Amino acid sequence: MQMLEGHVVLVTGGGSGLGLGVARHCLSEGAELAILEYDPTKGLALKEEFGDRVLVCQGDVRSVEDLQACRAAIIDRFGRLTALIGAQGIFDGMVPLTETPVDRIDALFDEVFSINVKGYILTARVFADLLREERGAIVLTCSTAAYAADGGGLFYTASKGAVRSLTNQLGFELAPHIRVNAVAPSGIANSQLRGPAALGMENSKQSDIPKETFSEGFQATALMGLPTPEEYGPLYAYLASRHNAIMTGQTVLADQGVLNRAVISAAGTGGIPASH
Ligand SMILES: NC(=O)c1ccc[n+]([C@@H]2O[C@H](COP(=O)([O-])OP(=O)(O)OC[C@H]3O[C@@H](n4cnc5c(N)ncnc54)[C@H](O)[C@@H]3O)[C@@H](O)[C@H]2O)c1
């Protein structure tokens, strides 16, 4: 039996990168699938790839109206929902706080937090009743940035710390009816994660960095190679499925061993601190 047979899964931010890889995996595990995606060009590409097999909702996780329209389309087509997978996000451009223009901080904070944090809160609120009826699951996307410095700038890092905390709280509030967990990746191949419009970086994407350069940078601290979005699929599928009867309120570090390493030897000191 496939892991997601009998499941109806919604992936938010499923138009590229992690969400798309996870969506493809959920389909291969027998799920009925809906994807909510903000970018209309990616929405068209989804329709081309999946045809009628997937319900594609074009919309913004920041908009209650868009979420309710997606909810209505899901009820219309499937009559129920068993899992919500949150995969949307944007980056903050990694600009140090002291180099961030003071007059951009309001806009930058609002932009990053509204997509990376409020979007997850609103989707949980709008879909909780459907998930409750099915004893379903929510799986959110955190980051190693929530655990250690330098995985993003201040705004991205704080937003992912908030995802980790809201996973704790939602797991508590929605128990025992809905299991709520998150996954914290450290790096993803083929990601189109974009920068913030508040700093004029909305057109710069992680995919602009040459693959080899990104991969080499990642390998400098990771113990395993840079994973594809599809390689995250089995973990998300497990957490979204009824096979997970043991975990709620947890964030799973899926980081290729990045945080399992002290970096002294990577700096070429042979394990001896440079000052000695
Ligand atoms: N790329 C990495 O190395 C990395 C590492 C750790 C965590 N993450 C996290 O993984 C998640 C997926 O990122 P990705 O790297 O696959 O990037 P991505 O840009 O390829 O995918 C994110 C998707 O979310 C969509 N989206 C953005 N704003 C939206 C909105 N308001 N409403 C609906 N959809 C919206 C985008 O259009 C895009 O399709 C994010 O939460 C990101 O923070 C990424």
Side-chain angles (χ1 to χ4, degrees):
M1 184 175 158
Q2 291 169 295
M3 185 170 279
L4 293 173
E5 217 173 285
H7 290 65
V8 180
V9 179
L10 167 64
V11 180
T12 58
S16 67
L18 179 79
L20 180 55
V22 168
R24 285 177 178 145
H25 186 81
C26 289
L27 261 190
S28 76
E29 284 291 349
E32 294 190 281
L33 192 69
I35 297 177
L36 176 78
E37 170 56 46
Y38 176 68
D39 182 332
T41 311
K42 291 181 184 177
L44 284 177
L46 291 172
K47 284 182 184 154
E48 214 160 277
E49 174 172 346
F50 298 117
D52 287 341
R53 290 171 69 210
V54 172
L55 172 67
V56 178
C57 306
Q58 204 250 308
D60 188 332
V61 291
R62 294 167 289 188
S63 156
V64 173
E65 206 185 337
D66 287 0
L67 293 174
Q68 279 171 342
C70 180
R71 184 182 188 280
I74 286 172
I75 293 172
D76 193 41
R77 171 142 169 193
F78 306 114
R80 65 203 185 93
L81 184 71
T82 68
L84 162 66
I85 295 178
Q88 81 282 351
I90 62 164
F91 203 48
D92 62 2
M94 232 165 161
V95 180
L97 180 63
T98 49
E99 289 168 30
T100 307
V102 173
D103 64 356
R104 301 314 304 150
I105 289 181
D106 259 2
L108 179 59
F109 180 90
D110 288 352
E111 185 181 6
V112 173
F113 271 71
S114 64
I115 297 172
N116 291 11
V117 183
K118 190 171 74 178
Y120 289 151
I121 294 172
L122 288 179
T123 46
R125 178 67 183 86
V126 167
F127 291 100
D129 60 340
L130 292 181
L131 294 170
R132 191 184 159 100
E133 277 169 27
E134 294 288 326
R135 293 233 154 202
I138 296 177
V139 190
L140 304 178
T141 302
C142 185
S143 164
T144 43
Y147 293 80
D150 208 21
L154 187 78
F155 297 84
Y156 182 78
T157 296
S159 76
K160 291 302 182 179
V163 173
R164 192 176 163 197
S165 291
L166 74 87
T167 301
N168 291 149
Q169 184 66 21
L170 273 179
F172 166 72
E173 289 188 13
L174 300 178
H177 311 286
I178 305 172
R179 302 166 313 285
V180 184
N181 293 289
V183 174
S186 55
I188 302 164
N190 310 320
S191 156
Q192 294 182 23
L193 198 63
R194 76 160 172 87
L199 298 181
M201 297 168 89
E202 66 273 30
N203 293 323
S204 55
K205 297 191 181 111
Q206 188 172 305
S207 52
D208 298 337
I209 306 169
K211 257 186 197 162
E212 292 69 32
T213 313
F214 188 75
S215 194
E216 269 167 33
F218 184 79
Q219 289 288 128
T221 49
L223 303 180
M224 294 160 70
L226 184 66
T228 63
E230 285 74 12
E231 283 170 326
Y232 286 96
L235 177 57
Y236 276 83
Y238 169 73
L239 293 173
S241 77
R242 297 207 170 83
H243 292 267
N244 172 28
I246 52 173
M247 284 171 61
T248 198
Q250 296 298 312
T251 297
V252 181
L253 264 173
D255 71 340
Q256 282 64 47
V258 167
L259 297 181
N260 188 35
R261 185 173 182 193
V263 294
I264 293 169
S265 65
T269 59
I272 301 162
S275 57
H276 287 259

